Amino acid sequence: MTDWTSLVRPSLIGLEPYRPGASLEELRAAYGLDEIVKLNWNEGLQGPFPGVAEAVREELARVWIYPEQAYSDLREAVAGRLGTAPERIVPGHGIQALIATVAHAFLEPGDRVVLTVPTYGLYAQACAAAGAEVVSVPSRDLRHDVDALAGAARERDARLVWLCDPNNPTGALVEGAEWERLLAGLPARCAVVVDEAYVEYVEPAVRLDRVRDVEDGRPVVLLRTFSKIFGLAGLRLGYAVVDAPLAELLDVVQEPFNVNRAALAAGRASLARPELVDERRRANSDGRERLAGLLADAGCETLPSQANFLLVRVGVDDVALTEGLARRGLLVRAGSEFGLEGFVRITTGPVGLMERVAAELADVRAGLAELEAVEP
Ligand SMILES: Cc1ncc(COP(=O)(O)O)c(C=O)c1O
């Protein structure tokens, strides 16, 4: 028998694969439900923009041809929207793919990377798989502690700091002064990778312009996606915004043709409707505020969020609460999965749906609180 563990890179041994969880079909069968509302993965609940399905359908006639390798049309469309040069845009099949590309491009075995706990799990996974040592910095009041991140990066001579902003799973946003302190505190030969998966949901008044930071030659790698506000998670499309020489280096590592024709067509059609982004941001803010207000009335604290999800302190067993909601067809995420016992994370959406979520959550929670009160 071949001993594969002796053949693959030693850094892979002991790591767990990314486990996305049960499929919708499995959950439907397990709970005997006809309909499930998915509020556990922060997808854009409104789906793709009008015109996207037609653009994809039209592109299907050309799927026998490899995608155009330079992705010029999409790069130009993204650059036009961001007000930057196409040479700074690196498309990839989702931020997840770009995280692996960045880890592969920057890290040698034994290098250090720094990140907040809790944050999006794939940074640690990709860096550990590349053989890097992951230095975790606890959040402070469930916000990024930028001074501690920069301090850890200096102390451990880190190559990369990973910053998810707004952070998943908290929704907290880094302020301008904090961002400047982080950049000023970095050691030489260290870059910050900022995952802005949720940036389109952020109120414009508090949004940081990190595209300008890239243009100004600061050590910043920006990652963005079409999976969230553009509603294209299933097609897998994202991009990095980086200094042009770095874009070329990332393309050395990234597999050729990694973005498919359907995704490219969908991305272009989405970018043709910028007014819908603002509309969706406002609708999300309304739903999020409504949910936060109703949950506050029910006695739950919610954290300030600038994303399409809310982190809620429920004060009861979060796994039991998640299970109780799943039985009613509402999938939310148990905080225990991020080391946040007693919290749940809920994807936000239209006001009407949020009213239903708040009512069901309050009901299930009251039942659990009663049970917990009688149990020793
Ligand atoms: C912070 C963050 N980054 C990246 C992703 C995945 O992005 P993509 O679908 O572009 O791979 C997610 C998905 O939930 C996320 O929360």
Side-chain angles (χ1 to χ4, degrees):
M1 289 294 272
T2 306
D3 176 13
W4 296 108
T5 59
S6 69
L7 294 178
V8 300
R9 279 186 294 114
S11 58
L12 299 192
I13 308 307
L15 292 181
E16 290 282 317
Y18 184 71
R19 295 193 198 284
S23 73
L24 278 182
E25 283 316 313
E26 285 166 336
L27 287 165
R28 264 192 208 110
Y31 293 114
L33 296 163
D34 294 330
E35 191 221 348
I36 286 186
V37 182
K38 242 185 132 300
L39 306 171
N40 56 344
W41 285 358
N42 303 337
E43 287 120 333
L45 301 183
Q46 290 168 292
F49 284 3
V52 166
E54 293 74 10
V56 170
R57 214 170 290 132
E58 204 177 298
E59 193 62 25
L60 292 181
R62 287 182 284 275
V63 290
W64 62 278
I65 311 169
Y66 281 111
E68 183 241 330
Q69 165 63 18
Y71 311 128
S72 319
D73 292 353
L74 184 79
R75 291 172 99 152
E76 270 165 34
V78 170
R81 184 166 144 69
L82 301 183
T84 192
E87 295 72 32
R88 294 201 179 91
I89 310 300
V90 182
H93 59 89
I95 286 182
Q96 293 182 338
L98 290 158
I99 290 170
T101 297
V102 169
H104 195 20
F106 281 77
L107 301 174
E108 298 271 15
D111 281 346
R112 266 85 52 200
V113 304
V114 173
L115 47 76
T116 295
V117 173
T119 195
Y120 186 56
L122 212 59
Y123 318 136
Q125 162 93 6
C127 293
E133 183 189 341
V134 178
V135 179
S136 301
V137 172
S139 57
R140 179 197 284 255
D141 300 329
L142 289 174
R143 302 188 71 252
H144 287 298
D145 185 341
V146 293
D147 303 306
L149 287 169
R154 288 195 304 273
E155 210 168 282
R156 304 300 310 278
D157 189 24
R159 289 284 84 78
L160 294 175
V161 174
W162 292 85
L163 190 79
C164 184
D165 194 34
N167 193 23
N168 180 2
T170 62
L173 190 72
V174 167
E175 290 171 4
E178 293 173 319
W179 171 237
E180 289 302 326
R181 286 212 305 283
L182 174 60
L183 286 178
L186 293 181
R189 280 201 67 210
C190 180
V192 195
V193 188
V194 190
D195 181 341
E196 292 193 332
Y198 301 97
V199 72
E200 290 90 358
Y201 293 106
V202 176
E203 294 302 323
V206 291
R207 198 182 291 163
L208 299 181
D209 187 354
R210 294 196 174 101
V211 175
R212 292 289 93 72
D213 291 321
V214 170
E215 295 200 324
D216 291 346
R218 304 178 97 183
V220 177
V221 174
L222 268 192
L223 304 179
R224 296 220 177 150
T225 185
F226 284 85
S227 294
K228 306 298 178 181
I229 212 160
F230 296 102
L232 296 180
L235 274 182
R236 317 302 300 123
L237 181 63
Y239 58 91
V241 187
V242 293
D243 205 10
L246 177 58
E248 297 227 335
L249 293 168
L250 294 182
D251 272 338
V252 172
V253 175
Q254 188 149 254
E255 47 187 298
F257 305 126
N258 85 99
V259 183
N260 68 72
R261 279 189 171 272
L264 290 166
R268 289 194 304 267
S270 304
L271 290 168
R273 303 294 303 274
E275 73 286 0
L276 295 181
V277 177
D278 291 330
E279 213 171 88
R280 287 189 172 193
R281 186 192 68 248
R282 283 192 287 268
N284 176 66
S285 299
D286 291 348
R288 196 179 58 210
E289 296 323 310
R290 182 78 177 133
L291 180 61
L294 290 170
L295 290 175
D297 295 344
C300 297
E301 183 197 345
T302 55
L303 277 88
S305 170
Q306 285 286 336
N308 68 335
F309 55 86
L310 263 188
L311 188 65
V312 188
R313 195 193 295 269
V314 287
V316 292
D317 180 340
D318 55 285
V319 176
L321 182 77
T322 303
E323 174 87 14
L325 286 172
R327 291 188 184 288
R328 297 174 180 215
L330 295 174
L331 296 187
V332 304
R333 200 82 181 263
S336 303
E337 290 188 45
F338 317 110
L340 295 173
E341 282 80 17
F343 288 83
V344 294
R345 193 195 66 192
I346 306 174
T347 305
T348 51
V351 169
L353 175 61
M354 295 299 101
E355 288 172 349
R356 175 181 162 206
V357 171
E360 303 263 23
L361 189 149
D363 197 38
V364 175
R365 177 173 172 265
L368 285 172
E370 237 169 70
L371 272 182
E372 287 181 12
V374 292
E375 274 172 14

Coordinates of all heavy atoms in Angstrom, one line a residue, residues 41-42 93-97 99 120 123 164 166 168 195 197-198 224-228 233 236-238 345, ligand 1:
W41 N -24.7 31.2 5.7 CA -23.5 31.4 5.0 C -23.3 32.8 4.4 O -22.4 33.0 3.6 CB -23.3 30.4 3.8 CG -23.0 29.0 4.3 CD1 -22.7 28.6 5.6 CD2 -22.8 27.8 3.5 NE1 -22.5 27.3 5.6 CE2 -22.5 26.8 4.4 CE3 -22.9 27.6 2.1 CZ2 -22.3 25.5 3.9 CZ3 -22.7 26.3 1.7 CH2 -22.4 25.3 2.5
N42 N -24.2 33.7 4.7 CA -24.1 35.1 4.3 C -24.0 35.3 2.8 O -23.4 36.2 2.3 CB -22.8 35.8 4.9 CG -22.8 35.7 6.4 OD1 -23.9 35.5 7.0 ND2 -21.6 35.7 7.0
H93 N -11.3 32.5 -9.1 CA -12.7 31.9 -8.9 C -13.1 32.0 -7.4 O -13.2 31.0 -6.7 CB -12.7 30.5 -9.5 CG -11.8 29.5 -9.0 ND1 -12.0 28.7 -7.9 CD2 -10.6 29.2 -9.4 CE1 -11.0 28.0 -7.7 NE2 -10.1 28.2 -8.5
G94 N -13.3 33.2 -7.0 CA -13.8 33.5 -5.6 C -12.6 33.9 -4.8 O -11.4 33.7 -5.1
I95 N -12.9 34.6 -3.7 CA -11.9 35.0 -2.7 C -11.1 33.8 -2.2 O -9.9 33.8 -2.0 CB -12.5 35.9 -1.6 CG1 -12.8 37.3 -2.1 CG2 -11.5 36.0 -0.4 CD1 -13.4 38.2 -1.0
Q96 N -11.9 32.7 -2.0 CA -11.3 31.5 -1.5 C -10.1 31.1 -2.3 O -9.0 30.7 -1.8 CB -12.3 30.4 -1.5 CG -13.4 30.7 -0.4 CD -14.4 29.5 -0.3 OE1 -14.6 28.7 -1.2 NE2 -15.1 29.5 0.8
A97 N -10.2 31.1 -3.7 CA -9.1 30.8 -4.6 C -8.0 31.8 -4.4 O -6.8 31.4 -4.4 CB -9.6 30.7 -6.0
I99 N -7.2 33.6 -1.8 CA -6.5 33.4 -0.5 C -5.4 32.3 -0.7 O -4.3 32.5 -0.3 CB -7.5 32.9 0.6 CG1 -8.5 34.0 1.0 CG2 -6.8 32.4 1.8 CD1 -9.7 33.6 1.8
Y120 N -12.6 34.9 9.6 CA -12.9 33.9 8.5 C -11.8 32.8 8.6 O -10.6 33.1 8.6 CB -12.9 34.6 7.2 CG -13.3 33.7 6.1 CD1 -14.6 33.1 6.1 CD2 -12.5 33.6 4.9 CE1 -15.0 32.3 5.0 CE2 -13.0 32.8 3.9 CZ -14.2 32.2 3.9 OH -14.6 31.4 2.9
Y123 N -8.1 31.7 6.1 CA -6.8 32.3 6.1 C -5.8 31.3 6.8 O -4.7 31.0 6.3 CB -6.7 33.6 6.8 CG -7.8 34.6 6.4 CD1 -8.5 35.3 7.4 CD2 -8.3 34.8 5.1 CE1 -9.5 36.2 7.2 CE2 -9.3 35.6 4.8 CZ -9.9 36.3 5.9 OH -11.0 37.2 5.6
C164 N -9.9 40.8 7.9 CA -11.2 40.7 7.3 C -12.0 41.9 7.8 O -12.2 42.1 8.9 CB -11.9 39.4 7.8 SG -13.4 39.1 7.1
P166 N -15.4 44.4 6.7 CA -15.9 44.1 8.0 C -15.6 42.6 8.3 O -15.6 41.8 7.4 CB -17.4 44.2 7.9 CG -17.7 45.0 6.7 CD -16.6 44.8 5.8
N168 N -15.8 38.9 9.5 CA -16.7 37.7 9.7 C -16.1 36.9 10.8 O -15.0 36.5 10.8 CB -16.7 36.9 8.4 CG -17.6 35.7 8.4 OD1 -18.3 35.5 9.4 ND2 -17.6 35.0 7.4
D195 N -9.5 41.3 3.3 CA -10.6 40.6 2.7 C -11.8 41.6 2.9 O -12.4 41.7 4.0 CB -10.8 39.3 3.4 CG -12.0 38.5 2.8 OD1 -12.8 39.1 2.2 OD2 -12.0 37.3 3.1
A197 N -14.9 41.1 1.5 CA -16.0 40.4 0.9 C -17.3 41.1 1.1 O -18.2 41.1 0.2 CB -16.1 39.0 1.5
Y198 N -17.4 41.9 2.2 CA -18.7 42.5 2.5 C -18.7 44.1 2.3 O -19.5 44.8 2.8 CB -19.1 42.2 4.0 CG -19.2 40.7 4.2 CD1 -18.1 40.0 4.7 CD2 -20.3 40.0 3.8 CE1 -18.2 38.6 4.9 CE2 -20.4 38.7 3.9 CZ -19.4 37.9 4.5 OH -19.5 36.6 4.6
R224 N -11.8 41.0 -3.1 CA -13.2 41.3 -3.2 C -14.0 40.1 -3.9 O -13.3 39.3 -4.6 CB -13.4 42.6 -4.0 CG -12.8 43.8 -3.2 CD -13.7 44.9 -3.4 NE -13.2 46.1 -2.6 CZ -13.5 47.3 -3.0 NH1 -14.2 47.6 -4.1 NH2 -13.1 48.3 -2.3
T225 N -15.3 40.1 -3.8 CA -16.0 39.0 -4.4 C -17.4 39.5 -5.0 O -17.9 40.5 -4.6 CB -16.3 38.0 -3.3 OG1 -17.0 36.8 -3.9 CG2 -17.2 38.5 -2.2
F226 N -17.8 38.6 -5.9 CA -19.2 38.8 -6.5 C -20.2 37.9 -5.7 O -21.3 37.7 -6.2 CB -19.2 38.4 -8.0 CG -18.6 39.5 -8.8 CD1 -17.2 39.6 -9.0 CD2 -19.4 40.5 -9.4 CE1 -16.7 40.6 -9.8 CE2 -18.9 41.5 -10.2 CZ -17.5 41.6 -10.4
S227 N -19.7 37.2 -4.7 CA -20.6 36.2 -4.0 C -21.6 36.8 -3.1 O -22.6 36.1 -2.7 CB -19.7 35.3 -3.2 OG -18.9 34.5 -3.9
K228 N -21.4 38.0 -2.7 CA -22.3 38.6 -1.7 C -23.3 39.5 -2.2 O -24.4 39.1 -2.6 CB -21.4 39.3 -0.6 CG -20.3 38.4 0.0 CD -20.9 37.1 0.7 CE -19.8 36.2 1.2 NZ -20.4 35.0 1.8
A233 N -22.7 33.7 -5.6 CA -21.8 32.7 -4.9 C -21.6 31.4 -5.6 O -20.5 30.8 -5.6 CB -22.3 32.5 -3.5
R236 N -18.8 31.4 -8.5 CA -17.4 31.6 -8.0 C -16.6 32.6 -8.8 O -16.0 32.4 -9.8 CB -16.6 30.2 -8.1 CG -17.4 29.0 -7.7 CD -17.8 29.1 -6.2 NE -16.7 29.3 -5.3 CZ -16.6 30.4 -4.5 NH1 -17.6 31.3 -4.4 NH2 -15.6 30.5 -3.7
L237 N -16.7 33.9 -8.3 CA -16.0 35.0 -9.0 C -15.6 36.0 -8.0 O -16.4 36.5 -7.2 CB -16.9 35.6 -10.1 CG -16.2 36.8 -10.8 CD1 -15.0 36.3 -11.7 CD2 -17.2 37.5 -11.8
G238 N -14.3 36.3 -8.0 CA -13.8 37.4 -7.1 C -12.6 38.0 -7.8 O -12.3 37.7 -8.9
R345 N -24.9 33.7 14.5 CA -24.7 34.6 13.4 C -25.8 34.4 12.4 O -26.1 33.3 12.0 CB -23.3 34.4 12.7 CG -22.9 35.5 11.8 CD -21.8 35.1 10.9 NE -22.2 34.1 10.0 CZ -21.4 33.4 9.2 NH1 -20.1 33.6 9.3 NH2 -21.8 32.4 8.4
Ligands
LIG1 C1 -14.8 37.0 4.8 C2 -15.1 36.1 3.7 N1 -14.2 36.0 2.7 C3 -14.4 35.2 1.6 C4 -15.6 34.5 1.5 C5 -15.8 33.6 0.4 O1 -15.7 34.4 -0.8 P1 -15.8 33.7 -2.2 O2 -17.2 33.2 -2.4 O3 -15.5 34.9 -3.1 O4 -14.8 32.7 -2.3 C6 -16.5 34.5 2.6 C7 -17.8 33.7 2.5 O5 -18.5 33.6 3.3 C8 -16.3 35.3 3.7 O6 -17.1 35.4 4.7

